[in-house]
Amino acid sequence: MNTTNLNTFLAVMQTGSISQAADKLFITQPAVSKRIKNLEDEFNVTLFDTVGRGIIPTQAAHDLMPHAKRWLDDYDNLKINLKSRQQSVSGKLVIGTSHHIGLHHLPAVLQQFIQNYPTVQLEVHFVDSEEAHKAVLDGDLSMAFLTLPPVYDKRLNYHTLWSDPLHFVTGTLSPLAQKMNVTLEQLANYPAILPAANTFTSQITLSEFAKHNLKPYATMSTNPLESIRMLVSVGLGWSVLPQTLISADLQPVHMEKPLEMQRYLGLVTNPNITISASMSALLDMLGVKLDKKQDD
């Protein structure tokens, strides 16, 4: 229903004149006549009879008037309610997160958010970083916490939240644990347990070997870093893990030349997604300010 046509119809009914309705609405008389004609065509009725130089409302016009008032009142109330809900920190907020970030970085943040905004229905999806990245790009998720990719997609916005240094590690009972001054060439010959090659974390590791025309001897592949940590701890191979996962049953590989490998964890958002009040509140807690266009 065209509210402009309805408002024009009410103005004609209230003033009793096409010309006075035009003056009231600050439009031309032909514009008023056209809007009335649009309504008549829509309902297939005659709303005004022309008598002499004036007009007289038909029975159809009198029947339409209370409905028009109610429709316009409902429309105005709907606009007010929608705006109020948009500004209210409530409703449903769906976020994606990698398992590692969800387990080791987000608990305190989400706990505070829930305490501050108890009316928000928070839904957390645990997905691999690469899957979460694609979901944000496709619009299936409005925001996701993940390992930031080595190369940014210019269609998305990226916000670094945590630095996450990576270390070569092995099990304490592994033969590799007893060796000193291990070269990258030597390490490449020992069994490795790495995430899939398409993962952002694995790309960081593989790029270090590629700089020396080397490729790790990967005997197993699994994406959750917690699973890799367990497999390494029992002596099945070495891997690259963040500091947060290095425990007493693991030890650093004593490299001849220590390599500084770094990955960054953060937030990915889609600038084409409307930011709700709930999403804005979470971003404020994280100190993240969204821009329409990500700087290069």
Side-chain angles (χ1 to χ4, degrees), residues 8 30 64 73 145 180 229 264:
T8 302
L64 175 60
D73 287 342
F145 297 89
M180 304 296 292
R229 192 209 68 79
Y264 295 95

mmCIF file of all heavy atoms in Angstrom, residues 8 30 64 73 145 180 229 264:
data_model
loop_
_atom_site.group_PDB
_atom_site.id
_atom_site.type_symbol
_atom_site.label_atom_id
_atom_site.label_comp_id
_atom_site.label_asym_id
_atom_site.label_seq_id
_atom_site.Cartn_x
_atom_site.Cartn_y
_atom_site.Cartn_z
ATOM 1 N N THR A 8 -2.592 11.572 0.772
ATOM 2 C CA THR A 8 -3.229 12.529 -0.141
ATOM 3 C C THR A 8 -4.743 12.372 -0.099
ATOM 4 O O THR A 8 -5.493 13.372 -0.082
ATOM 5 C CB THR A 8 -2.708 12.312 -1.565
ATOM 6 O OG1 THR A 8 -1.280 12.451 -1.573
ATOM 7 C CG2 THR A 8 -3.327 13.323 -2.523
ATOM 8 N N PRO A 30 -2.599 18.663 -10.220
ATOM 9 C CA PRO A 30 -2.510 17.423 -11.016
ATOM 10 C C PRO A 30 -1.869 16.267 -10.238
ATOM 11 O O PRO A 30 -2.244 15.104 -10.440
ATOM 12 C CB PRO A 30 -1.657 17.843 -12.214
ATOM 13 C CG PRO A 30 -1.903 19.302 -12.350
ATOM 14 C CD PRO A 30 -2.032 19.820 -10.946
ATOM 15 N N LEU A 64 -13.509 3.833 2.912
ATOM 16 C CA LEU A 64 -12.045 3.719 2.940
ATOM 17 C C LEU A 64 -11.415 4.544 4.052
ATOM 18 O O LEU A 64 -10.381 4.156 4.610
ATOM 19 C CB LEU A 64 -11.473 4.176 1.587
ATOM 20 C CG LEU A 64 -9.950 4.243 1.459
ATOM 21 C CD1 LEU A 64 -9.314 2.876 1.694
ATOM 22 C CD2 LEU A 64 -9.547 4.806 0.089
ATOM 23 N N ASP A 73 -1.721 4.941 10.797
ATOM 24 C CA ASP A 73 -1.313 4.886 12.208
ATOM 25 C C ASP A 73 -0.441 3.663 12.468
ATOM 26 O O ASP A 73 0.588 3.746 13.157
ATOM 27 C CB ASP A 73 -2.545 4.846 13.123
ATOM 28 C CG ASP A 73 -3.256 6.195 13.199
ATOM 29 O OD1 ASP A 73 -2.627 7.206 12.839
ATOM 30 O OD2 ASP A 73 -4.437 6.218 13.611
ATOM 31 N N PHE A 145 35.264 -14.378 14.696
ATOM 32 C CA PHE A 145 36.581 -14.305 15.316
ATOM 33 C C PHE A 145 37.406 -15.459 14.764
ATOM 34 O O PHE A 145 37.002 -16.625 14.875
ATOM 35 C CB PHE A 145 36.465 -14.412 16.834
ATOM 36 C CG PHE A 145 35.693 -13.284 17.463
ATOM 37 C CD1 PHE A 145 34.312 -13.371 17.621
ATOM 38 C CD2 PHE A 145 36.339 -12.137 17.897
ATOM 39 C CE1 PHE A 145 33.599 -12.329 18.189
ATOM 40 C CE2 PHE A 145 35.643 -11.090 18.470
ATOM 41 C CZ PHE A 145 34.267 -11.183 18.618
ATOM 42 N N MET A 180 69.831 -30.830 19.647
ATOM 43 C CA MET A 180 70.132 -29.411 19.756
ATOM 44 C C MET A 180 70.511 -28.878 18.374
ATOM 45 O O MET A 180 70.958 -29.623 17.509
ATOM 46 C CB MET A 180 71.272 -29.173 20.743
ATOM 47 C CG MET A 180 71.012 -29.746 22.154
ATOM 48 S SD MET A 180 69.622 -28.963 22.989
ATOM 49 C CE MET A 180 70.300 -27.324 23.264
ATOM 50 N N ARG A 229 47.906 -30.803 19.447
ATOM 51 C CA ARG A 229 48.688 -30.752 20.694
ATOM 52 C C ARG A 229 48.754 -32.131 21.353
ATOM 53 O O ARG A 229 49.816 -32.581 21.814
ATOM 54 C CB ARG A 229 48.070 -29.737 21.655
ATOM 55 C CG ARG A 229 48.967 -29.390 22.856
ATOM 56 C CD ARG A 229 48.156 -28.995 24.063
ATOM 57 N NE ARG A 229 47.423 -30.147 24.581
ATOM 58 C CZ ARG A 229 47.964 -31.096 25.331
ATOM 59 N NH1 ARG A 229 49.254 -31.062 25.658
ATOM 60 N NH2 ARG A 229 47.241 -32.105 25.754
ATOM 61 N N TYR A 264 48.079 -13.724 13.579
ATOM 62 C CA TYR A 264 47.268 -12.721 14.252
ATOM 63 C C TYR A 264 45.818 -13.193 14.295
ATOM 64 O O TYR A 264 45.294 -13.723 13.314
ATOM 65 C CB TYR A 264 47.385 -11.375 13.540
ATOM 66 C CG TYR A 264 48.784 -10.809 13.612
ATOM 67 C CD1 TYR A 264 49.682 -11.024 12.568
ATOM 68 C CD2 TYR A 264 49.206 -10.102 14.730
ATOM 69 C CE1 TYR A 264 50.973 -10.531 12.632
ATOM 70 C CE2 TYR A 264 50.496 -9.600 14.795
ATOM 71 C CZ TYR A 264 51.382 -9.818 13.754
ATOM 72 O OH TYR A 264 52.671 -9.335 13.838
#
